[in-house]
Amino acid sequence: MKTRFLTSTVLTSYFLLGLSSCHLLTPDEVLPGLEAYTLKTDVQAFELISIFVKDTKLSQAHYNGQFGREDITVGRANDTLLVAMVPNTAGTFSLQATIEGKLLDLQLNVIAATEVAEPAVYLDEFVKQANFSQLEASLDAQVKAGTKSREAADVTLKAVRQAQAETLQMLHQATAGEIKEAASFIAVNRHLFDEIEASLAELQLAEGSSGGRAMVDAATRQKLLTLTFALAKIGAMVGGPALVLVELGALIPGGVVGTKLWATAGATLGIAIFRNQIIKQKEIAVQAVLDLFDDSMVAVQKSLTAEFQRTAQETFENGQLRKVNVNLRMRNLQPSDLNSEVSLYRNFVLAYNILTEVWNSYMTEFGNFPAMLPLKESTLTPAFQNMSLHVVDNADVTGSLQWIDGQYMAVFTSNVDADQDFTARFTYTEDYIDPIEWDVASHLKVIDCGEGISTAPVITGVSFSCGYPDGSNSDKIAILISFTADGPGIIAYDGFGYCELADACYPTRLYFLDSPASAWQIAANGYDAELVSGTINAGVVAITIKTCQEGKSARQSLDAIYPGYQWKVQLINKCNQRSTEVGV
């Protein structure tokens, strides 16, 4: 299969990066030599080793061979990968086997087995470190996403718990010598297990690291590749030998071991422990990768919008801040992104495909890796550092975008004493995609506050409601203020930060008095205000504060939240002319 060969080549290249030397003996006179490579020539007793085969397709489940004078079995992990376990010995030996009519001949230097001080305690801790709550969360997430049925999740969880119980029982039945050998096996190979644990931790840190999104960047892709290679190694080194041992019925401590297979009861116990731990890791690995890809939301081209609240015309006053709702449609990565014009998207999906192929090649004993999740889109407010605003067609107008109290604010200014037409361009940028733009045809109004031009706004009525007249914001306590205002009209905006009473900040103003002995204050940063009907010259502006309580009216809810408080409202126009303060 062409794609599998390419993946094996990639993995071989990766594994050989740290290879200081490898030695292939000259083939004997009868059999042609098998071109094969090991990760290293210095190995340890009980170590599981990978042997990468080039230009020969492996067809048998296992092959007979010799490690020095010991008869061993070399297992097939996939079409181009062999696995073997180093005997419990020390010295320099030849590993030889007849593979598809060719001679495998590798020279390896064996270091004595690692001695574990308290082997029984060591194995007990290793077996019991399984995080069942993390596993349950991973399985529940897969059920919710539709990649696993509830029944299958329950079976998996039961299998993991049963595997742990069986392993503990095996440890209870094993002899001291078998415990010692199993601990040595785990100790020399544990780095493979730890590599996956570390890779998973890095991937889970990458999830949600950007406002609920996973990071679609080169660093996160590298973490995905790290997990891929860790899984490949542990799959090749553990999955392969474990399958060989299962086939020969050698997993029971003290049981009969096939004469052609070098594996003591203690070593097979160690492999059994490893396999049981991997069942748990597999489910957590699957969910970590699926979460990463499902949360790696990428921008949909031509989906940026910047809308100014509840006004049909984009008219701005010189130097006055206006709220603007900036939204961008995002979607999760999909298999079709393998053909994307964005190289990072292509590389991310390629990494997923490599991981899937590696898993399905090396780890089929533990089930196939699931496909990417279906298309999911969502609309979100883009991060401020990715947004910009500028005027594209009028040199007399400048604009800027600000982020104040969790809200985008736009402001435009001009030094020309005349109204200006212009186009405001909002732009979303990321390093790896073309900018996404949204243009707003706009008008900048120069405010004339000369004598007699305008008068103070007039509040014509105040009422309470849970939500706006159109039914939106139905959970909020709303104070609805009807008004008229000539000239430049009111400023339908709440404000932010500290404000002196004499200043025009908080132009739609809510005052409170919390005790008779105190002074009236602005409810700074405590409410929102916006025009909900009409225009800035005649309409209704709504002040929203807190949430309506169940079974209570808006006014009753406000009194329950702030018992004994008094309230009043006021409107200010663009010339800092003020309405009468009206109690509510």
Side-chain angles (χ1 to χ4, degrees):
M1 181 177 177
K2 186 176 181 181
T3 53
R4 176 171 292 178
F5 174 76
L6 290 175
T7 299
S8 298
T9 302
V10 171
L11 290 171
T12 300
S13 301
Y14 175 85
F15 287 135
L16 292 176
L17 288 178
L19 187 60
S20 60
S21 64
C22 63
H23 181 61
L24 187 62
L25 295 183
T26 305
D28 65 21
E29 298 177 356
V30 179
L31 296 178
L34 178 71
E35 190 171 356
Y37 307 87
T38 56
L39 299 178
K40 55 188 179 180
T41 55
D42 289 335
V43 296
Q44 222 175 332
F46 294 119
E47 185 172 353
L48 296 163
I49 60 173
S50 294
I51 303 165
F52 294 92
V53 177
K54 189 174 181 182
D55 299 330
T56 298
K57 183 177 180 179
L58 304 172
S59 61
Q60 297 179 203
H62 46 79
Y63 303 86
N64 297 328
Q66 282 194 320
F67 201 111
R69 295 183 179 181
E70 297 280 358
D71 290 334
I72 68 165
T73 294
V74 180
R76 171 189 175 276
N78 64 18
D79 288 351
T80 59
L81 182 63
L82 294 167
V83 288
M85 184 165 58
V86 178
N88 185 16
T89 186
T92 300
F93 302 93
S94 288
L95 190 167
Q96 294 186 332
T98 301
I99 309 293
E100 304 296 335
K102 299 178 183 179
L103 179 64
L104 170 68
D105 194 339
L106 300 173
Q107 193 84 359
L108 298 172
N109 181 46
V110 182
I111 303 167
T114 301
E115 292 283 345
V116 177
E118 296 182 85
V121 174
Y122 178 81
L123 291 177
D124 187 71
E125 291 177 349
F126 182 73
V127 171
K128 290 181 178 178
Q129 74 176 23
N131 187 336
F132 287 113
S133 61
Q134 185 184 25
L135 173 60
E136 288 183 39
S138 297
L139 291 170
D140 289 343
Q142 291 181 63
V143 171
K144 186 177 181 180
T147 60
K148 185 182 286 290
S149 69
R150 181 74 265 170
E151 293 77 12
D154 291 341
V155 168
T156 297
L157 184 59
K158 181 179 179 181
V160 174
R161 292 187 183 278
Q162 184 175 343
Q164 185 185 74
E166 289 175 354
T167 302
L168 293 172
Q169 181 65 20
M170 291 166 69
L171 290 176
H172 177 72
Q173 295 174 350
T175 66
E178 291 165 354
I179 292 288
K180 180 179 179 181
E181 286 190 344
S184 294
F185 173 88
I186 296 295
V188 74
N189 294 294
R190 184 166 182 166
H191 67 282
L192 304 172
F193 184 87
D194 293 340
E195 280 181 29
I196 292 187
E197 291 286 296
S199 299
L200 288 175
E202 286 193 347
L203 276 186
Q204 288 161 342
L205 283 175
E207 296 170 31
S209 55
S210 179
R213 294 170 52 201
M215 293 298 291
V216 184
D217 57 21
T220 302
R221 177 175 172 267
Q222 185 56 49
K223 292 171 184 176
L224 184 68
L225 290 176
T226 299
L227 175 65
T228 298
F229 293 123
L231 288 172
K233 285 190 284 185
I234 203 166
M237 297 184 183
V238 177
L243 282 172
V244 173
L245 294 173
V246 168
E247 289 172 4
L248 298 179
L251 281 180
I252 302 174
V256 178
V257 178
T259 56
K260 293 294 185 182
L261 172 70
W262 182 89
T264 64
T268 59
L269 172 61
I271 290 178
I273 294 170
F274 238 133
R275 291 176 65 251
N276 289 346
Q277 294 295 85
I278 293 169
I279 296 172
K280 182 262 299 187
Q281 276 195 321
K282 180 257 181 177
E283 299 300 333
I284 297 172
V286 166
Q287 193 53 43
V289 175
L290 287 178
D291 282 348
L292 175 69
F293 274 81
D294 201 36
D295 293 339
S296 293
M297 305 295 283
V298 298
V300 176
Q301 285 292 331
K302 301 180 181 179
S303 69
L304 181 70
T305 60
E307 298 174 344
F308 294 86
Q309 295 181 344
R310 298 185 179 274
T311 177
Q313 56 183 8
E314 308 311 346
T315 299
F316 302 89
E317 284 73 38
N318 199 11
Q320 295 289 329
L321 286 166
R322 281 274 303 278
K323 285 184 180 179
V324 54
N325 291 327
V326 181
N327 291 302
L328 183 67
R329 204 163 77 249
M330 310 289 288
R331 63 171 178 81
N332 57 349
L333 286 165
Q334 291 293 291
S336 59
D337 286 313
L338 187 62
N339 301 314
S340 171
E341 295 180 357
V342 182
S343 61
L344 189 61
Y345 296 177
R346 291 198 306 271
N347 291 336
F348 246 68
V349 177
L350 179 61
Y352 190 97
N353 290 347
I354 290 174
L355 172 56
T356 301
E357 187 172 346
V358 164
W359 185 280
N360 293 342
S361 293
Y362 299 166
M363 306 284 277
T364 50
E365 181 189 7
F366 306 105
N368 286 340
F369 206 84
M372 295 174 69
L373 294 173
L375 178 65
K376 180 181 73 175
E377 290 192 358
S378 62
T379 300
L380 53 79
T381 300
F384 180 68
Q385 63 266 25
N386 296 114
M387 288 300 304
S388 62
L389 168 64
H390 65 286
V391 175
V392 296
D393 56 0
N394 188 331
D396 292 325
V397 180
T398 59
S400 67
L401 195 62
Q402 300 177 37
W403 180 258
I404 301 171
D405 293 337
Q407 171 69 53
Y408 276 106
M409 309 291 290
V411 62
F412 299 94
T413 58
S414 177
N415 293 324
V416 178
D417 292 330
D419 289 2
Q420 300 290 315
D421 291 319
F422 63 97
T423 300
R425 175 164 295 169
F426 294 82
T427 305
Y428 174 84
T429 57
E430 288 196 47
D431 292 340
Y432 50 86
I433 64 171
D434 294 332
I436 303 175
E437 298 173 341
W438 175 262
D439 288 348
V440 180
S442 305
H443 180 79
L444 185 66
K445 188 175 181 181
V446 176
I447 301 172
D448 187 351
C449 291
E451 186 176 350
I453 296 210
S454 66
T455 56
V458 176
I459 294 176
T460 59
V462 178
S463 62
F464 279 85
S465 172
C466 285
Y468 294 163
D470 65 1
S472 61
N473 271 2
S474 59
D475 61 331
K476 295 292 186 181
I477 299 171
I479 304 173
L480 304 176
I481 307 168
S482 302
F483 68 91
T484 59
D486 61 6
I490 69 162
I491 305 174
Y493 169 57
D494 41 278
F496 61 94
Y498 174 76
C499 180
E500 294 288 348
L501 293 179
D503 293 337
C505 43
Y506 293 95
T508 298
R509 188 164 287 186
L510 176 64
Y511 297 97
F512 72 92
L513 185 69
D514 55 4
S515 71
S518 63
W520 285 93
Q521 303 175 58
I522 300 171
N525 298 316
Y527 65 96
D528 294 312
E530 63 176 317
L531 188 70
V532 295
S533 66
T535 69
I536 56 176
N537 294 109
V540 176
V541 65
I543 289 175
T544 54
I545 178 171
K546 300 297 182 183
T547 302
C548 284
Q549 296 183 347
E550 187 174 356
K552 291 185 172 67
S553 67
R555 182 60 203 244
Q556 289 170 338
S557 297
L558 185 65
D559 290 342
I561 297 169
Y562 298 102
Y565 277 50
Q566 297 180 54
W567 305 89
K568 58 185 180 181
V569 296
Q570 184 181 45
L571 299 177
I572 302 175
N573 69 11
K574 297 174 179 67
C575 298
N576 201 12
Q577 295 172 306
R578 304 169 181 229
S579 72
T580 302
E581 297 173 0
V582 176
V584 297

